[in-house]
């Protein structure tokens, strides 16, 4: 109840962005290989940012 208005931390934002990109990567992997590789590269960059913050 008290966490209702709690703002997300930078790591939580990056985590949700990473999860979305990996989901896109997995979906695209069966249809469009170049777009899939691009999504994976973006997810990898987000992961590196998360590691740098920790």
């Amino acid at each position: 109840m008290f966490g209702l208005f709690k703002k997300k931390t930078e790591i939580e934002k990056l985590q949700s962005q990473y999860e979305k990109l990996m989901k896109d990567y997995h979906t695209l992997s069966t249809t469009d290989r170049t777009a899939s590789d691009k999504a994976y590269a973006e997810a990898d960059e987000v992961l590196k940012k998360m590691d740098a913050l920790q």
Side-chain angles (χ1 to χ4, degrees):
M1 177 81 183
F2 293 106
L4 183 64
F5 298 108
K6 181 182 173 189
K7 292 187 178 190
K8 286 186 173 181
T9 64
E10 187 67 27
I11 291 182
E12 289 172 337
K13 289 177 187 177
L14 290 172
Q15 179 67 31
S16 63
Q17 183 181 4
Y18 176 77
E19 289 173 1
K20 181 189 175 300
L21 286 169
M22 289 304 286
K23 181 181 175 193
D24 291 344
Y25 159 72
H26 182 65
T27 304
L28 290 170
S29 67
T30 58
T31 57
D32 188 1
R33 181 65 183 189
T34 56
S36 171
D37 289 343
K38 183 180 176 188
Y40 185 79
E42 290 176 12
D44 190 43
E45 289 298 318
V46 171
L47 186 62
K48 288 178 184 176
K49 288 180 187 177
M50 285 175 26
D51 287 339
L53 288 176
Q54 291 179 350

